[in-house]
Amino acid sequence: MRDDLMTIYLLPLFWMLLGIGGILGVVLGGTAYLTYAERKVLGAIQLRKGPNVVGPFGLLQPMADGLKVMFKETIIPSGANVGLFIAAPVFTFLLALSAWAVIPFDAGLVLANINVGILYLLAISSLGVYAIIIAGWASNSKYALLGGLRSAAQMVSYEVSIGLIIVTVLLQAGTLNLSKIVEAQKDGWYIFSILLPMAVLFFASALAETNRSPFDLPEGESELVGGFNTEYSAMIFAMFFLGEYANMILMSAMMTVLFLGGWLPPLAALGFVPGFVWFAMKIVLCLFVFLWVRGTLPRYRYDQLMRIGWKFFLPLSLLWVVVVATVKMVGEAG
Amino acid sequence: MIAGAMFYVFALVLIASAVAVVSVRQPVNAVLFLILCFFNAAGLFLLLGAEFLAFILLIVYVGAVAVLFLFVVMMLDVQGDAPRPPLKRFLPMSLGVGAVLLVQVVVMAVFWPQAQAVISVATDIENTKALGRVLYTDFIYPFQVSGLVLLTAMIGAIALTQRGSRGTKRQNVQAQLDRRAEDVVSLHHVESGKGIL
């Protein structure tokens, strides 16, 4: 009886906690250094040096920033709904981290290999809008509310096309399990197939979904002061900030799993390099494009953003669902 | 054992938050409790092995429907301190609606023979596949009809909210992009003391 308790509940629980701890460590470290990478890349694009004072090459800059943010005073505006005001950034951060449970880092290296992994990701990413809309409302500030509403409209719009894009991938792979989607790309990554336009669309939608430039209207500082996070300061602001970066990494991971062949090496001859290294390299590549886009493209106007979402992305992804289904049906019949 | 305990946790939180939805004063809080309800209902689906339904519930109801609720409710200028309308006014009607719903649920639970079968089938083949197989074979006509009903509702909503195009100015993107500097800008030499006609 005692042994049963040990082997059935406690031991798996221990391994699971260890896995969660490992993933959290990697993601949080990645998030911290993504902020550093962003400043370095933007610096390089704008012919500056970027952070270079704290530590060698400025590598300790994230620690210094973290320390600074922790010792700042948290200001809560008068008339704010305190509970929701504090809960919103915590929720953002929580969602950005909990999505990692189903991401396969390597063959078999996944915390929860559930059958509907992609639906889980879609559900988690559709919850992100709440944190922003609630933050905007609970701040008791006009700018924050307007920023929150903009963001809600934007995220809901782009989720529709992300959903359809994912449907095309699912049609091709024939499964909702993320590990099996990666394995289905053994004979060719989906970005080099009929799904190429969907990969481009997915990346653009990911930019909108994570509120990144050129679709960063929810925090359009030139018109809304700071958008939904206008009233946030110190640690609770840092939660939003880090949540946004963790979401960028998450979207890059989804891009990698859905279109870039996950942990698979680009050439069979390079198979001696462990899978998670390939996975990490592909994520870093996607992240670099995120930063590159921010450094080069001007911000969209809000009506243009909505038009491109509903009148271009949505019809095209809908058309592609039909195209992929037809190609697949003809291929199986012939 | 743990699954049984989880059932009670989900069910209790579900009922408690459902009560909170109708009893809290602040409408935004009510919507948030409604979202908590959806979450726990999804948890119950997971316990039944209906993972597909659970996540679709989250994506559709929490990710889309409740966002629109929140959107509308946030725009209302209602604070929690408004006087509560007398209970007596709504009591008869709500009791009636509640009684009808209760009777329907009981009738369905007792007299619907498939309810048991669906659960046991769903656990051995993959959930999504089982659902797709059933929807596109045995229930193809109801499935297509429900699609048509949704399409009708969508067209109806668009038709009802669309205002006439008279008087509205539309932006023509192509016309904007086709504008060239040489067509619209010209350089003039202006003599002092005179303007350009």
Side-chain angles (χ1 to χ4, degrees):
Chain A
M1 180 64 207
R2 204 149 192 202
D3 290 345
D4 281 1
L5 189 74
M6 194 69 198
T7 49
I8 296 177
Y9 292 115
L10 291 184
L11 214 61
L13 186 71
F14 172 75
W15 283 114
M16 191 163 279
L17 287 179
L18 199 71
I20 292 173
I23 291 177
L24 284 190
V26 171
V27 173
L28 289 180
T31 308
Y33 273 92
L34 181 57
T35 64
Y36 169 79
E38 166 149 53
R39 294 163 72 179
K40 273 290 188 195
V41 170
L42 282 184
I45 288 174
Q46 297 161 1
L47 303 180
R48 295 183 287 111
K49 279 189 172 162
N52 64 348
V53 176
V54 191
F57 307 107
L59 273 172
L60 297 178
Q61 188 67 43
M63 320 286 158
D65 287 343
L67 212 62
K68 179 188 97 167
V69 130
M70 254 186 270
F71 283 104
K72 284 208 162 186
E73 184 190 354
T74 301
I75 299 166
I76 292 174
S78 64
N81 188 326
V82 180
L84 291 179
F85 186 76
I86 292 174
V90 175
F91 195 57
T92 306
F93 203 55
L94 199 75
L95 286 178
L97 294 180
S98 59
W100 285 91
V102 296
I103 299 279
F105 294 90
D106 197 349
L109 192 63
V110 48
L111 191 64
N113 192 11
I114 60 177
N115 281 331
V116 287
I118 193 72
L119 284 183
Y120 175 84
L121 281 183
L122 207 57
I124 293 278
S125 72
S126 69
L127 294 181
V129 61
Y130 282 107
I132 288 177
I133 199 174
I134 287 170
W137 180 79
S139 300
N140 193 29
S141 149
K142 290 189 182 74
Y143 293 120
L145 183 64
L146 286 173
L149 289 180
R150 266 191 180 185
S151 154
Q154 172 177 335
M155 289 174 99
V156 168
S157 308
Y158 278 84
E159 240 157 52
V160 180
S161 56
I162 283 195
L164 283 170
I165 291 165
I166 287 176
V167 167
T168 61
V169 175
L170 298 183
L171 274 175
Q172 197 78 326
T175 174
L176 294 169
N177 183 313
L178 289 169
S179 300
K180 287 183 190 158
I181 290 176
V182 172
E183 274 158 23
Q185 301 180 49
K186 249 193 180 108
D187 306 322
W189 300 352
Y190 285 157
I191 194 168
F192 301 125
S193 72
I194 188 172
L195 293 174
L196 171 65
M198 289 301 103
V200 176
L201 240 58
F202 182 84
F203 191 77
S205 303
L207 288 174
E209 187 75 10
T210 49
N211 294 328
R212 288 288 299 183
S213 167
F215 304 121
D216 54 348
L217 289 139
E219 39 191 292
E221 71 277 350
S222 48
E223 20 190 319
L224 285 178
V225 186
F228 64 88
N229 55 21
T230 303
E231 305 291 344
Y232 280 84
S233 56
M235 206 55 215
I236 48 177
F237 172 77
M239 292 272 220
F240 264 131
F241 191 71
L242 292 179
E244 186 186 317
Y245 281 83
N247 268 328
M248 276 165 67
I249 305 182
L250 179 68
M251 279 294 173
S252 304
M254 277 175 79
M255 179 86 194
T256 307
V257 167
L258 294 177
F259 296 103
L260 297 178
W263 65 78
L264 298 173
L267 295 169
L270 291 170
F272 62 89
V273 180
F276 61 87
V277 175
W278 288 118
F279 189 69
M281 275 162 62
K282 288 170 188 175
I283 287 185
V284 169
L285 181 76
C286 290
L287 287 174
F288 176 73
V289 181
F290 264 91
L291 305 181
W292 189 15
V293 165
R294 178 172 173 191
T296 40
L297 292 181
R299 182 180 290 147
Y300 258 57
R301 217 170 53 212
Y302 195 68
D303 60 315
Q304 292 173 325
L305 172 86
M306 280 301 173
R307 176 181 292 127
I308 197 175
W310 288 104
K311 294 190 177 170
F312 179 67
F313 281 18
L314 186 60
L316 191 64
S317 49
L318 205 54
L319 176 74
W320 227 254
V321 172
V322 178
V323 168
V324 171
T326 312
V327 167
K328 193 153 191 201
M329 218 175 131
V330 169
E332 276 174 12
Chain B
M1 182 185 83
I2 284 189
M6 291 298 275
F7 169 78
Y8 284 105
V9 171
F10 283 134
L12 279 179
V13 178
L14 176 64
I15 292 170
S17 52
V19 169
V21 171
V22 290
S23 57
V24 293
R25 311 291 293 274
Q26 173 66 262
V28 171
N29 289 348
V31 176
L32 294 178
F33 274 117
L34 185 66
I35 293 163
L36 189 61
C37 269
F38 289 146
F39 263 101
N40 285 281
L44 289 178
F45 274 128
L46 274 185
L47 286 183
L48 285 175
E51 55 210 15
F52 186 79
L53 282 182
F55 285 111
I56 288 295
L57 181 79
L58 281 188
I59 292 170
V60 174
Y61 282 91
V62 181
V65 174
V67 172
L68 297 182
F69 278 4
L70 204 57
F71 221 94
V72 173
V73 162
M74 269 176 19
M75 295 285 103
L76 299 172
D77 193 22
V78 183
Q79 291 304 318
D81 47 10
R84 198 184 278 253
L87 189 63
K88 256 188 285 178
R89 244 175 66 202
F90 301 108
L91 195 62
M93 203 171 75
S94 9
L95 277 182
V97 171
V100 169
L101 283 178
L102 187 68
V103 167
Q104 282 176 342
V105 168
V106 169
V107 165
M108 212 160 77
V110 174
F111 295 106
W112 201 23
Q114 284 175 333
Q116 284 299 322
V118 170
I119 294 168
S120 56
V121 168
T123 43
D124 40 271
I125 33 172
E126 209 177 297
N127 213 270
T128 320
K129 276 191 181 135
L131 206 64
R133 217 167 270 168
V134 170
L135 275 186
Y136 282 94
T137 52
D138 298 350
F139 295 98
I140 178 77
Y141 294 116
F143 185 60
Q144 295 290 340
V145 167
S146 61
L148 281 179
V149 170
L150 285 177
L151 182 66
T152 317
M154 198 163 89
I155 294 172
I158 293 171
L160 284 177
T161 50
Q162 196 175 36
R163 306 208 183 106
S165 57
R166 229 179 313 142
T168 54
K169 288 184 177 171
R170 279 180 193 281
Q171 193 179 10
N172 186 345
V173 179
Q174 196 55 48
Q176 289 180 336
L177 293 176
D178 284 344
R179 262 164 72 103
R180 290 281 169 267
E182 50 268 28
D183 300 338
V184 287
V185 182
S186 58
L187 200 63
H188 292 269
H189 182 72
V190 185
E191 286 177 42
S192 82
K194 294 178 182 173
I196 302 176
L197 271 181

